[in-house]
Amino acid sequence: MLIAGNWKMNTDVSSAIELARNIVESLNEHEEVSVAICPPAVNLADVARAIDGSSVYLGAQNMHFEDAGAYTGEVSADMLTAVGCRYVIIGHSERRQYFAETDESVNLKVRRAVDRDLVPIVCVGEHLGERQSGAAHNVVARQISRGLEDVDIDSGRSLVIAYEPVWAIGTGHTATPEQAQEMHEHIRGLLSDQFGADTAGSIEILYGGSMKPDNADELLSQPDVDGGLIGGASLRAESFISIIESAAASTG
């Protein structure tokens, strides 16, 4: 079980440090739940120091697929590992929507991340029109197939998938637990086809569609929901810790 907080373009240095420290101080450690926080890139080093010595992992929100070069404003996998990152979010719906990321660019980033011993949290999911037209399963199948093409992992712990029903992000809507489970089960089957059943069974599939303390219990109790990629609720230590506690309870 993994609970990862995506802080998006929020927090300055001082508030990022404070939030990270509050999470560490409030966290009741559960061996069965891994916790990661993904602050803005400019705050990574400071947050790394704030969580040093704790069980909280550091993650980044994006990376470039090249090791170095004339890519103004970008960061490489090696830069992220040097600052202490274990995870990196790749292909978030906002990156696809606002920065024209494609399944092909996602694939290049995933392959580079795995090669550099970063665990990619690969985001997939459909828009409202795609769900309403009945194309949701096909959209996600395409994103998995193209985004993970030629990806070579040595175990399921080397890769995380986050299912984002795009229509449920920041809209006030949330997929029902049954809808989440249906898509997570579909994703598990796609991963099994690609990596084999044993590996697919150990790949964590997170729900990333506005998980909050008041819906976390139901979502995390589903058999193929292995955690959450948390947006707004990760910006307050109290709500983030509440979701972690829900994750721990679901494994009990």
Side-chain angles (χ1 to χ4, degrees):
M1 189 72 73
L2 170 64
I3 302 297
N6 177 15
W7 295 359
K8 305 190 180 184
M9 197 175 70
N10 295 290
T11 70
D12 57 17
V13 172
S14 60
S15 60
I17 293 171
E18 181 181 12
L19 178 55
R21 286 176 175 167
N22 286 342
I23 290 170
V24 168
E25 292 168 1
S26 303
L27 183 64
N28 295 315
E29 294 186 17
H30 304 279
E31 290 184 1
E32 65 276 19
V33 181
S34 297
V35 176
I37 52 178
C38 305
V42 295
N43 297 337
L44 283 169
D46 293 286
V47 170
R49 286 188 285 271
I51 64 176
D52 185 43
S54 77
S55 62
V56 178
Y57 291 107
L58 186 67
Q61 299 177 19
N62 185 38
M63 56 165 270
H64 199 277
F65 51 78
E66 293 288 359
D67 287 333
Y71 303 103
T72 301
E74 294 290 336
V75 295
S76 71
D78 289 342
M79 293 174 182
L80 297 181
T81 57
V83 82
C85 287
R86 173 178 173 81
Y87 295 96
V88 58
I89 300 170
I90 295 177
H92 192 281
S93 60
E94 291 158 359
R95 297 293 310 176
R96 295 177 190 257
Q97 179 179 357
Y98 301 127
F99 302 99
E101 292 203 5
T102 65
D103 295 331
E104 290 71 25
S105 65
V106 166
N107 177 250
L108 291 171
K109 293 182 180 188
V110 172
R111 287 160 57 189
R112 182 64 70 193
V114 170
D115 183 60
R116 293 297 189 269
D117 295 324
L118 277 169
V119 179
I121 301 175
V122 185
C123 300
V124 299
E126 80 282 3
H127 290 269
L128 180 60
E130 292 166 333
R131 172 160 284 270
Q132 290 177 332
S133 69
H137 280 206
N138 290 338
V139 168
V140 170
R142 185 205 75 225
Q143 291 171 335
I144 291 286
S145 174
R146 295 181 183 176
L148 301 183
E149 185 177 1
D150 296 326
V151 170
D152 184 18
I153 57 175
D154 54 15
S155 77
R157 309 300 292 180
S158 302
L159 173 69
V160 175
I161 303 295
Y163 168 57
E164 302 181 284
V166 183
W167 48 273
I169 300 175
T171 64
H173 300 288
T174 305
T176 65
E178 294 75 20
Q179 287 173 318
Q181 168 57 26
E182 179 190 31
M183 186 60 81
H184 280 234
E185 184 178 19
H186 174 58
I187 292 170
R188 187 86 64 195
L190 296 168
L191 295 173
S192 181
D193 291 341
Q194 181 156 351
F195 300 112
D198 289 344
T199 298
S202 61
I203 294 174
E204 291 169 319
I205 306 175
L206 313 184
Y207 177 76
S210 297
M211 184 181 288
K212 300 178 177 66
D214 60 2
N215 62 24
D217 284 348
E218 285 189 308
L219 288 164
L220 291 168
S221 68
Q222 300 305 307
D224 287 296
V225 176
D226 303 317
L229 180 59
I230 316 301
S234 71
L235 294 173
R236 292 178 55 248
E238 181 181 4
S239 57
F240 190 55
I241 294 294
S242 176
I243 294 172
I244 295 168
E245 295 297 328
S246 292
S250 73
T251 65

CSV table of all heavy atoms in Angstrom, one decimal, residues 48-93:
chain,number,residue,atom,x,y,z
A,48,ALA,N,13.8,17.2,1.5
A,48,ALA,CA,14.6,16.0,1.7
A,48,ALA,C,15.3,16.1,3.1
A,48,ALA,O,15.3,15.2,3.9
A,48,ALA,CB,15.7,15.9,0.7
A,49,ARG,N,15.8,17.3,3.4
A,49,ARG,CA,16.4,17.5,4.8
A,49,ARG,C,15.3,17.4,5.9
A,49,ARG,O,15.6,16.9,7.0
A,49,ARG,CB,17.1,18.9,4.8
A,49,ARG,CG,18.4,18.9,4.0
A,49,ARG,CD,19.2,20.1,4.2
A,49,ARG,NE,18.6,21.3,3.5
A,49,ARG,CZ,18.9,21.6,2.3
A,49,ARG,NH1,19.8,20.9,1.6
A,49,ARG,NH2,18.3,22.7,1.7
A,50,ALA,N,14.1,17.9,5.6
A,50,ALA,CA,13.1,17.9,6.6
A,50,ALA,C,12.6,16.5,7.0
A,50,ALA,O,12.2,16.3,8.1
A,50,ALA,CB,11.9,18.8,6.2
A,51,ILE,N,12.7,15.6,6.0
A,51,ILE,CA,12.2,14.2,6.3
A,51,ILE,C,13.3,13.2,6.5
A,51,ILE,O,13.1,12.1,6.7
A,51,ILE,CB,11.3,13.7,5.1
A,51,ILE,CG1,12.1,13.6,3.8
A,51,ILE,CG2,10.1,14.6,4.9
A,51,ILE,CD1,11.3,13.0,2.6
A,52,ASP,N,14.5,13.7,6.5
A,52,ASP,CA,15.7,12.9,6.7
A,52,ASP,C,15.6,12.1,8.0
A,52,ASP,O,15.3,12.7,9.1
A,52,ASP,CB,17.0,13.7,6.7
A,52,ASP,CG,18.2,12.9,6.8
A,52,ASP,OD1,18.3,11.9,6.1
A,52,ASP,OD2,19.2,13.2,7.5
A,53,GLY,N,15.8,10.8,7.9
A,53,GLY,CA,15.8,10.0,9.1
A,53,GLY,C,14.4,9.4,9.4
A,53,GLY,O,14.2,8.6,10.3
A,54,SER,N,13.4,9.8,8.6
A,54,SER,CA,12.0,9.3,8.8
A,54,SER,C,11.8,8.2,7.8
A,54,SER,O,12.6,7.9,6.9
A,54,SER,CB,11.0,10.4,8.6
A,54,SER,OG,10.8,10.8,7.2
A,55,SER,N,10.6,7.7,7.8
A,55,SER,CA,10.2,6.6,6.9
A,55,SER,C,9.5,7.2,5.6
A,55,SER,O,9.1,6.4,4.7
A,55,SER,CB,9.2,5.6,7.5
A,55,SER,OG,8.0,6.3,7.9
A,56,VAL,N,9.4,8.5,5.6
A,56,VAL,CA,8.7,9.2,4.4
A,56,VAL,C,9.7,9.3,3.2
A,56,VAL,O,10.8,9.7,3.4
A,56,VAL,CB,8.2,10.6,4.8
A,56,VAL,CG1,7.6,11.3,3.6
A,56,VAL,CG2,7.2,10.5,6.0
A,57,TYR,N,9.2,8.8,2.1
A,57,TYR,CA,10.0,8.9,0.9
A,57,TYR,C,9.7,10.2,0.1
A,57,TYR,O,8.7,10.9,0.2
A,57,TYR,CB,9.6,7.8,-0.1
A,57,TYR,CG,10.0,6.4,0.4
A,57,TYR,CD1,9.0,5.5,0.9
A,57,TYR,CD2,11.3,6.0,0.4
A,57,TYR,CE1,9.3,4.2,1.3
A,57,TYR,CE2,11.6,4.7,0.8
A,57,TYR,CZ,10.6,3.8,1.3
A,57,TYR,OH,11.0,2.6,1.7
A,58,LEU,N,10.7,10.6,-0.6
A,58,LEU,CA,10.7,11.8,-1.4
A,58,LEU,C,10.4,11.5,-2.9
A,58,LEU,O,10.9,10.5,-3.4
A,58,LEU,CB,12.0,12.6,-1.4
A,58,LEU,CG,12.1,14.0,-2.0
A,58,LEU,CD1,11.1,15.0,-1.3
A,58,LEU,CD2,13.5,14.5,-2.1
A,59,GLY,N,9.5,12.3,-3.5
A,59,GLY,CA,9.2,12.1,-4.9
A,59,GLY,C,9.2,13.4,-5.7
A,59,GLY,O,9.0,14.4,-5.1
A,60,ALA,N,9.3,13.3,-7.0
A,60,ALA,CA,9.3,14.5,-7.8
A,60,ALA,C,8.0,14.4,-8.7
A,60,ALA,O,7.4,13.4,-8.8
A,60,ALA,CB,10.5,14.6,-8.8
A,61,GLN,N,7.6,15.6,-9.2
A,61,GLN,CA,6.4,15.6,-10.0
A,61,GLN,C,6.6,15.4,-11.5
A,61,GLN,O,5.6,15.3,-12.2
A,61,GLN,CB,5.7,17.0,-9.8
A,61,GLN,CG,5.3,17.2,-8.3
A,61,GLN,CD,4.7,18.6,-8.1
A,61,GLN,OE1,4.3,19.3,-9.0
A,61,GLN,NE2,4.7,19.1,-6.9
A,62,ASN,N,7.8,15.4,-12.0
A,62,ASN,CA,8.1,15.3,-13.4
A,62,ASN,C,9.6,15.2,-13.6
A,62,ASN,O,10.4,15.4,-12.7
A,62,ASN,CB,7.6,16.6,-14.1
A,62,ASN,CG,7.7,16.5,-15.6
A,62,ASN,OD1,7.5,15.4,-16.2
A,62,ASN,ND2,8.1,17.6,-16.3
A,63,MET,N,10.0,14.7,-14.8
A,63,MET,CA,11.4,14.7,-15.1
A,63,MET,C,11.5,14.7,-16.6
A,63,MET,O,10.6,14.4,-17.4
A,63,MET,CB,12.1,13.4,-14.5
A,63,MET,CG,11.4,12.1,-14.9
A,63,MET,SD,12.5,10.7,-14.6
A,63,MET,CE,13.3,10.6,-16.2
A,64,HIS,N,12.7,14.9,-17.1
A,64,HIS,CA,13.0,14.8,-18.6
A,64,HIS,C,13.6,13.5,-18.9
A,64,HIS,O,14.1,12.8,-18.0
A,64,HIS,CB,14.0,15.9,-19.0
A,64,HIS,CG,14.0,16.2,-20.5
A,64,HIS,ND1,14.7,15.4,-21.4
A,64,HIS,CD2,13.4,17.1,-21.2
A,64,HIS,CE1,14.5,15.9,-22.6
A,64,HIS,NE2,13.7,16.9,-22.5
A,65,PHE,N,13.4,13.0,-20.1
A,65,PHE,CA,13.9,11.7,-20.5
A,65,PHE,C,15.4,11.7,-20.9
A,65,PHE,O,16.0,10.6,-21.1
A,65,PHE,CB,13.1,11.1,-21.6
A,65,PHE,CG,12.8,11.9,-22.8
A,65,PHE,CD1,13.8,12.1,-23.7
A,65,PHE,CD2,11.6,12.6,-22.9
A,65,PHE,CE1,13.6,12.9,-24.9
A,65,PHE,CE2,11.4,13.4,-24.0
A,65,PHE,CZ,12.4,13.5,-25.0
A,66,GLU,N,16.0,12.8,-21.0
A,66,GLU,CA,17.4,12.9,-21.4
A,66,GLU,C,18.2,13.1,-20.1
A,66,GLU,O,17.8,13.6,-19.1
A,66,GLU,CB,17.7,14.0,-22.3
A,66,GLU,CG,17.1,13.8,-23.7
A,66,GLU,CD,17.8,12.8,-24.6
A,66,GLU,OE1,18.8,12.2,-24.1
A,66,GLU,OE2,17.4,12.5,-25.7
A,67,ASP,N,19.5,12.6,-20.1
A,67,ASP,CA,20.4,12.8,-18.9
A,67,ASP,C,20.9,14.2,-18.7
A,67,ASP,O,21.1,14.6,-17.6
A,67,ASP,CB,21.6,11.8,-19.1
A,67,ASP,CG,21.2,10.4,-18.9
A,67,ASP,OD1,20.2,10.1,-18.2
A,67,ASP,OD2,21.9,9.5,-19.5
A,68,ALA,N,21.1,14.9,-19.8
A,68,ALA,CA,21.6,16.3,-19.7
A,68,ALA,C,21.4,16.9,-21.1
A,68,ALA,O,21.1,16.3,-22.1
A,68,ALA,CB,23.1,16.3,-19.3
A,69,GLY,N,21.6,18.3,-21.1
A,69,GLY,CA,21.6,18.9,-22.4
A,69,GLY,C,20.9,20.3,-22.3
A,69,GLY,O,20.6,20.8,-21.3
A,70,ALA,N,20.6,20.8,-23.5
A,70,ALA,CA,20.0,22.2,-23.6
A,70,ALA,C,18.5,22.1,-23.5
A,70,ALA,O,17.8,22.2,-24.5
A,70,ALA,CB,20.4,22.8,-25.0
A,71,TYR,N,18.0,21.8,-22.3
A,71,TYR,CA,16.6,21.7,-22.0
A,71,TYR,C,16.2,22.6,-20.9
A,71,TYR,O,16.0,22.1,-19.7
A,71,TYR,CB,16.3,20.2,-21.7
A,71,TYR,CG,16.7,19.2,-22.8
A,71,TYR,CD1,17.8,18.4,-22.7
A,71,TYR,CD2,15.9,19.2,-24.0
A,71,TYR,CE1,18.2,17.6,-23.7
A,71,TYR,CE2,16.3,18.3,-25.0
A,71,TYR,CZ,17.4,17.5,-24.8
A,71,TYR,OH,17.8,16.7,-25.9
A,72,THR,N,16.2,23.9,-21.2
A,72,THR,CA,16.0,24.9,-20.2
A,72,THR,C,14.7,24.6,-19.3
A,72,THR,O,13.7,24.3,-19.9
A,72,THR,CB,15.9,26.3,-20.8
A,72,THR,OG1,17.1,26.5,-21.6
A,72,THR,CG2,15.6,27.3,-19.8
A,73,GLY,N,14.9,24.6,-18.0
A,73,GLY,CA,13.8,24.5,-17.1
A,73,GLY,C,13.5,23.0,-16.7
A,73,GLY,O,12.6,22.8,-15.9
A,74,GLU,N,14.2,22.1,-17.3
A,74,GLU,CA,14.0,20.7,-17.0
A,74,GLU,C,14.9,20.1,-16.0
A,74,GLU,O,15.9,20.7,-15.7
A,74,GLU,CB,14.1,19.8,-18.3
A,74,GLU,CG,13.0,20.2,-19.4
A,74,GLU,CD,11.6,19.7,-19.0
A,74,GLU,OE1,11.5,18.8,-18.2
A,74,GLU,OE2,10.7,20.3,-19.5
A,75,VAL,N,14.6,18.9,-15.4
A,75,VAL,CA,15.4,18.2,-14.5
A,75,VAL,C,15.5,16.8,-15.0
A,75,VAL,O,14.6,16.2,-15.5
A,75,VAL,CB,14.9,18.3,-13.1
A,75,VAL,CG1,14.9,19.7,-12.5
A,75,VAL,CG2,13.5,17.7,-13.0
A,76,SER,N,16.7,16.2,-14.7
A,76,SER,CA,17.0,14.8,-15.2
A,76,SER,C,16.7,13.8,-14.0
A,76,SER,O,16.7,14.2,-12.8
A,76,SER,CB,18.4,14.7,-15.7
A,76,SER,OG,19.3,14.8,-14.6
A,77,ALA,N,16.7,12.5,-14.4
A,77,ALA,CA,16.6,11.5,-13.4
A,77,ALA,C,17.7,11.5,-12.4
A,77,ALA,O,17.5,11.4,-11.2
A,77,ALA,CB,16.5,10.1,-14.1
A,78,ASP,N,18.9,11.7,-12.9
A,78,ASP,CA,20.1,11.7,-12.0
A,78,ASP,C,20.0,12.9,-11.0
A,78,ASP,O,20.5,12.8,-9.9
A,78,ASP,CB,21.4,11.8,-12.8
A,78,ASP,CG,21.7,10.5,-13.6
A,78,ASP,OD1,21.1,9.5,-13.2
A,78,ASP,OD2,22.5,10.5,-14.5
A,79,MET,N,19.5,14.0,-11.5
A,79,MET,CA,19.4,15.2,-10.6
A,79,MET,C,18.4,14.8,-9.4
A,79,MET,O,18.6,15.2,-8.3
A,79,MET,CB,18.8,16.4,-11.3
A,79,MET,CG,19.8,17.0,-12.3
A,79,MET,SD,19.0,18.3,-13.3
A,79,MET,CE,20.3,18.8,-14.4
A,80,LEU,N,17.4,14.0,-9.8
A,80,LEU,CA,16.4,13.7,-8.8
A,80,LEU,C,16.9,12.7,-7.8
A,80,LEU,O,16.7,12.8,-6.6
A,80,LEU,CB,15.1,13.1,-9.4
A,80,LEU,CG,14.4,14.1,-10.4
A,80,LEU,CD1,13.1,13.4,-10.9
A,80,LEU,CD2,14.0,15.4,-9.6
A,81,THR,N,17.6,11.7,-8.3
A,81,THR,CA,18.2,10.7,-7.3
A,81,THR,C,19.3,11.3,-6.4
A,81,THR,O,19.4,11.0,-5.3
A,81,THR,CB,18.8,9.5,-8.1
A,81,THR,OG1,19.8,9.9,-9.0
A,81,THR,CG2,17.7,8.7,-8.8
A,82,ALA,N,20.0,12.3,-7.0
A,82,ALA,CA,21.0,13.0,-6.2
A,82,ALA,C,20.5,13.8,-5.0
A,82,ALA,O,21.1,13.9,-4.0
A,82,ALA,CB,21.8,13.9,-7.1
A,83,VAL,N,19.3,14.3,-5.2
A,83,VAL,CA,18.7,15.0,-4.1
A,83,VAL,C,17.9,14.1,-3.2
A,83,VAL,O,17.4,14.6,-2.1
A,83,VAL,CB,17.8,16.2,-4.7
A,83,VAL,CG1,16.4,15.6,-5.1
A,83,VAL,CG2,17.6,17.3,-3.7
A,84,GLY,N,17.8,12.8,-3.5
A,84,GLY,CA,17.1,11.9,-2.6
A,84,GLY,C,15.8,11.3,-3.0
A,84,GLY,O,15.1,10.7,-2.2
A,85,CYS,N,15.4,11.5,-4.2
A,85,CYS,CA,14.1,11.0,-4.7
A,85,CYS,C,14.1,9.5,-4.9
A,85,CYS,O,15.0,9.0,-5.4
A,85,CYS,CB,13.7,11.7,-6.0
A,85,CYS,SG,13.2,13.4,-5.9
A,86,ARG,N,13.0,8.9,-4.5
A,86,ARG,CA,12.8,7.5,-4.8
A,86,ARG,C,11.7,7.4,-5.9
A,86,ARG,O,11.8,6.5,-6.7
A,86,ARG,CB,12.3,6.8,-3.5
A,86,ARG,CG,11.9,5.3,-3.8
A,86,ARG,CD,11.5,4.6,-2.5
A,86,ARG,NE,10.9,3.3,-2.8
A,86,ARG,CZ,11.6,2.2,-3.0
A,86,ARG,NH1,12.9,2.2,-3.0
A,86,ARG,NH2,11.0,1.0,-3.2
A,87,TYR,N,10.7,8.3,-5.9
A,87,TYR,CA,9.6,8.2,-6.8
A,87,TYR,C,9.6,9.4,-7.7
A,87,TYR,O,10.2,10.5,-7.4
A,87,TYR,CB,8.3,8.2,-6.1
A,87,TYR,CG,8.0,7.0,-5.2
A,87,TYR,CD1,8.3,7.0,-3.8
A,87,TYR,CD2,7.5,5.8,-5.8
A,87,TYR,CE1,8.1,5.9,-3.1
A,87,TYR,CE2,7.3,4.7,-5.0
A,87,TYR,CZ,7.6,4.7,-3.6
A,87,TYR,OH,7.4,3.6,-2.9
A,88,VAL,N,9.0,9.3,-8.9
A,88,VAL,CA,8.7,10.4,-9.8
A,88,VAL,C,7.4,10.2,-10.5
A,88,VAL,O,7.1,9.1,-11.0
A,88,VAL,CB,9.9,10.6,-10.8
A,88,VAL,CG1,10.1,9.4,-11.7
A,88,VAL,CG2,9.6,11.8,-11.7
A,89,ILE,N,6.5,11.2,-10.4
A,89,ILE,CA,5.2,11.1,-11.1
A,89,ILE,C,5.5,11.4,-12.6
A,89,ILE,O,6.1,12.3,-13.0
A,89,ILE,CB,4.3,12.2,-10.5
A,89,ILE,CG1,4.0,11.9,-9.0
A,89,ILE,CG2,2.9,12.1,-11.3
A,89,ILE,CD1,3.3,13.0,-8.3
A,90,ILE,N,4.9,10.5,-13.4
A,90,ILE,CA,5.1,10.7,-14.9
A,90,ILE,C,3.7,10.6,-15.6
A,90,ILE,O,2.9,9.7,-15.3
A,90,ILE,CB,6.0,9.6,-15.4
A,90,ILE,CG1,7.5,9.8,-14.9
A,90,ILE,CG2,6.1,9.6,-17.0
A,90,ILE,CD1,8.5,8.7,-15.3
A,91,GLY,N,3.5,11.5,-16.5
A,91,GLY,CA,2.3,11.5,-17.3
A,91,GLY,C,1.0,11.9,-16.6
A,91,GLY,O,-0.1,11.5,-17.0
A,92,HIS,N,1.1,12.7,-15.5
A,92,HIS,CA,0.0,13.2,-14.9
A,92,HIS,C,-1.0,13.9,-15.9
A,92,HIS,O,-0.6,14.5,-16.8
A,92,HIS,CB,0.4,14.2,-13.8
A,92,HIS,CG,-0.8,14.5,-12.8
A,92,HIS,ND1,-1.7,15.5,-13.1
A,92,HIS,CD2,-1.0,14.1,-11.6
A,92,HIS,CE1,-2.6,15.6,-12.1
A,92,HIS,NE2,-2.2,14.7,-11.2
A,93,SER,N,-2.3,13.8,-15.6
A,93,SER,CA,-3.3,14.3,-16.6
A,93,SER,C,-3.0,15.8,-16.8
A,93,SER,O,-3.3,16.3,-17.9
A,93,SER,CB,-4.7,14.1,-16.0
A,93,SER,OG,-4.9,14.7,-14.8
